[in-house]
Structure formats: structure tokens, C-alpha cells
Amino acid sequence: MTLGAGTEHDFWARKLLVEAGVDPNDLRLDVQEHVDRGVALAVGGFDSESLALVQGAVSIASDVLRRWRTPRPELVAGLVRCLESRHSHARGDAAMVLAGLVSADSTQDITAAVPALVVAANDPYDRVAGPAALALARLDHPGVLDPVLRWLASGQVPFFQVTSLGQVLQPLVGCADELHPGIRRMLVDSADREGLRPVLTALAGWGPAASGTVPELVSVLATRNVRWACDVLGSIGPAAAPAADTLDSFVHGITQPPRHDGSPLSSNSTRRWHGAQNAAWARWRITGDSKIFLAFLEDAASRGLGNADLGRLAELGPQATRCAAAVRPLLESPGPWTRVQAAHAWWRITGDTDAAVPVLLAALEPLRSGDADEPCRAAVRYIARIGAPALAAAPLLEATLSSVRCFPADVYPAARAALAAFGDGLRRQQTVS
């Protein structure tokens, strides 16, 4: 049986199949001909009195819905019923599955789940509150704001076992002005708590929309969450100017921030703070002066570039010409993620598509079998930036958009952007064919 990858969900699905007299090895949900049978088994399990069978139904539904785009209202209806189940684990799992169905390209309609999601999100003692709020946030439903504002005011979110407050905040960038007061309070109250890191990660994704939190973020620079605060301040850009002097002191080793575990660096240590490159990147994004940041990357290039270095070299583009020689061999790295990152950095630095595009095209191969791992998804985004020189990707991207297989949500807009970037070349290709 092809369900999860040896996960807890896989375990519960197998229990349901055995209970139904089905050999788990005879059901392959990655094969279209087996899907209707899987759907029928899930529908039969949703209303069981047995927690194991309900969780098995949720697991099978999750697997079907994440693999296939065919609308399955009977599975969505079953998940909605699970939101009112007496089994809290089944409720939480169902809410997470529903949250995963929300995207601009989803073929599943979860409108019927909204009332139950609003109720669940407003119960701070229910483990379903987190995933329910995540689903509402992705739906851009106003019902998510009240519980999120209460969580922010509390300073901590003790019942987010399944997801994090940061995940809920990420899609709420459009509500930044309403959320800023609560976020600022949380940045003060929880400045040194490890649990703040998912919130900081979400703010980094907000970029300039997080500028109202700069004074509090400057204070976080004195805590063990300093590296995450650097990332937020850099993503904000010039509006984070009040942090520039502190970042400069980190970069030059004048000030040594706390370690991630909160312990201070030894006062006589000659080692550079491990987050100094983050500080240098943030300083560049804020001030526009890239010299110090580039020096960090040139030093990294002399010792061996990592994936994070490659992403930052791509940001610098032609300014990083002196690092190009260290990037070129990584186009043949045994690691697919490194190859893709190196191809993007190489193109951004040199403008050379002859070496970069074949690497990115090769990374698209999982799309042929209905998969899209992280290197593949990144390759689609980078091909959209490169445009016409990557025209050979067009047939596979068109097939992906029309496929009955379900890909991660970010694949669809990136594929459409790539096809649009191919422009006249694609139109000529379609005319000839």
C-alpha cells in the first residue's frame, strides 16, 4: 500500500484497511484506478465509533486529496464531520488536512467547514485551535483575527501542538496593521523564548509589512533569538535603519550576541559569532552597502559554499563575480538541492544560461511522475525568472498545470509565471505544433 512514508497516518490507515478485510499491499493510492476504492473505505470509516478507524479514514482522505485534483466532496464532508468528533486527535488531523487544501488552485471546496473551524479556533483549550486557525488564515477569513489577537495578547500559545502561531501569521500579511500591536507586545513579553522563533520566521516572510515592529525587533537582538531577528530586519529593508548600528557591531565583532541556547560567548573568544553572516546580510539590505556582506561570502567561497551562501550570492548577482569560480563546480554536486541553488546563483552572477538551464530542467523530472520535491519547486521558480532561454521546460509545465495529479500549492503560480515569461517563443512553438 502506498500511503504515507511510514508515518503515524500510515499506521492508522493500515488499521482501517485490515478492519475492512483489505490487504494494505493491494491498495495503491498513487494509482488512479485504486482511488475510488480508497475513497469508499475512508467514507465508511469517518462515522465509526472507533478512534482508530476514524483516524484511518482521515489518513486515507489526506493521501487521496494531496495526490489528486479530482473534486472529492464526500471526503471533504467526512473531514468536516470529524471537526465535531469526540476524538480530539481526529479533529486536529482533519483540520490540518483541510488547511492543506486551501490554495488559489485547489479543486476542493471546504466552505462547509468554515463554521466548525471558527468554533474550534476560538476554543483556546482545544488542540484543534491551531490547525483550524491555519485553515481560516489561508482562506483569508475574518473569523481568524479574534483568536489570533487573543493568542498574541497572552504572550504564548500553549495548545498549538499540531501547528505554530507563526504558520498562522504567515498568510495574514494583509492584516499586518491590525496585528502589529499584539505582535509588538509578544516580541517584548517573549523576546527570549525559543517559541518566538516561528513568529519571527513569519515576520521575515512579511518583509516590509513588518516594519511597524522594528523597535521591538531591535530589543530582540540582545536575546538568543538574535539570528531570527536579523532575518526579519533584513527582510524589512531600509525601514529597519534603527538596527543598523547594532548589526554593524555584530559584523565587526565589537558585540557578541548570546548563543542560541542563551549562553554568552566567552569574552576572550576569537571565534566569530556564527550568525554574523545573517547580520551582514541584514545590514546590506538595510543600508544598501554590500561590501561587508560580500566579504563574508568571499570568505565562505574560499572554504566551501553552503546552500544558504548560494542563495545569498544569487541575491547579490553580478556584484558577486569574484565568487563565480567557487559556484561553477557545484553545478555538478551530488546533492540536487545544491545543484539547483548553484545553477540559480551562477545565472544571477554571470548571466550564463547555457550551464544553468540544463541543471534546472533536470530538476523538473519529478513532475513527470506527479511529484515535486523542494529542488524541483525551486527550479520552477528560477526558470520563471530566466524566461525564454528555458523554453524547453514549457511542455512539462503545461502538462503539470493540466494534470489530474495534485502538486504543492506553490508549483501552479510558478509554472504559470514561467509560461508567461516564455512569451513569444512559446506562442511560436504552439503555432508550429
Side-chain angles (χ1 to χ4, degrees):
M1 178 181 66
T2 302
L3 289 167
T7 62
E8 181 182 0
H9 284 294
D10 190 14
F11 170 79
W12 293 116
R14 287 176 177 273
K15 285 186 73 70
L16 172 58
L17 295 178
V18 170
E19 180 75 16
V22 177
D23 183 346
N25 295 314
D26 288 341
L27 184 68
R28 291 184 56 90
L29 297 181
D30 60 339
V31 176
Q32 195 169 14
E33 290 74 15
H34 290 207
V35 173
D36 285 344
R37 189 182 186 196
V39 170
L41 288 165
V43 169
F46 276 127
D47 297 317
S48 171
E49 289 298 311
S50 164
L51 169 61
L53 299 189
V54 174
Q55 288 194 278
V58 173
S59 177
I60 292 176
S62 173
D63 224 45
V64 170
L65 294 170
R66 74 178 176 83
R67 290 179 186 274
W68 302 98
R69 287 175 60 76
T70 305
R72 294 287 180 179
E74 65 274 47
L75 292 184
V76 174
L79 292 168
V80 173
R81 292 198 301 277
C82 281
L83 293 177
E84 298 176 348
S85 166
R86 61 188 178 86
H87 303 302
S88 64
H89 287 280
R91 291 202 309 275
D93 291 346
M96 278 303 293
V97 175
L98 290 166
L101 296 179
V102 181
S103 77
D105 292 283
S106 177
T107 55
Q108 311 298 334
D109 181 5
I110 73 163
T111 305
V114 169
L117 291 171
V118 171
V119 171
N122 278 280
D123 183 351
Y125 298 100
D126 192 335
R127 74 188 301 273
V128 186
L134 179 61
L136 293 172
R138 289 176 175 173
L139 285 167
D140 195 25
H141 190 279
V144 74
L145 285 178
D146 283 346
V148 169
L149 289 170
R150 284 199 301 274
W151 291 326
L152 290 171
S154 73
Q156 54 182 322
V157 190
F159 297 101
F160 267 73
Q161 295 104 325
V162 186
T163 186
S164 74
L165 178 57
Q167 286 176 284
V168 176
L169 288 174
Q170 199 145 10
L172 294 178
V173 60
C175 303
D177 289 344
E178 296 167 81
L179 295 170
H180 272 163
I183 292 173
R184 294 179 70 175
R185 190 181 309 112
M186 176 172 273
L187 291 174
V188 172
D189 295 342
S190 306
D192 200 40
R193 293 179 184 170
E194 189 173 338
L196 184 65
R197 291 172 187 175
V199 172
L200 294 171
T201 299
L203 294 179
W206 282 13
S211 60
T213 65
V214 167
E216 291 72 26
L217 289 167
V218 172
S219 298
V220 177
L221 293 176
T223 75
R224 61 177 174 162
N225 292 322
V226 53
R227 184 167 66 81
W228 288 264
C230 286
D231 292 344
V232 184
L233 291 162
S235 72
I236 290 171
D245 288 345
T246 303
L247 295 171
D248 199 58
S249 72
F250 293 163
V251 168
H252 289 96
I254 298 169
T255 304
Q256 294 279 28
R259 298 176 185 270
H260 291 351
D261 63 2
S263 63
L265 289 174
S266 171
S267 58
N268 59 4
S269 173
T270 58
R271 289 191 306 163
R272 175 187 286 166
W273 173 51
H274 59 273
Q277 190 185 109
N278 297 69
W281 171 81
R283 181 185 177 280
W284 164 54
R285 291 290 302 267
I286 292 167
T287 67
D289 179 2
S290 64
K291 293 192 292 294
I292 294 174
F293 178 46
L294 184 55
F296 271 83
L297 290 174
E298 289 173 348
D299 178 58
S302 70
R303 294 180 285 105
L305 294 167
N307 290 330
D309 300 322
L310 290 169
R312 287 169 172 168
L313 286 170
E315 283 190 77
L316 280 169
Q319 296 181 71
T321 299
R322 291 200 296 270
C323 297
V327 174
R328 184 64 178 83
L330 297 179
L331 296 175
E332 299 175 1
S333 167
W337 180 242
T338 299
R339 290 197 301 272
V340 167
Q341 292 294 87
H344 182 230
W346 177 259
W347 168 68
R348 286 282 294 125
I349 294 168
T350 68
D352 172 23
T353 57
D354 290 343
V357 167
V359 174
L360 298 176
L361 293 177
L364 300 183
E365 283 303 303
L367 295 175
R368 298 188 189 279
S369 57
D371 294 320
D373 56 15
E374 194 171 359
C376 173
R377 287 149 56 199
V380 179
R381 294 195 300 272
Y382 299 154
I383 282 172
R385 297 172 190 173
I386 290 173
L391 181 61
L396 181 53
L397 295 179
E398 289 179 323
T400 296
L401 290 175
S402 61
S403 174
V404 295
R405 297 300 295 261
C406 189
F407 295 93
D410 59 346
V411 168
Y412 298 98
R416 286 195 295 271
L419 293 171
F422 297 155
D424 291 340
L426 177 58
R427 284 189 287 274
R428 285 195 297 271
Q429 186 182 76
Q430 292 170 332
T431 300
V432 171
S433 62

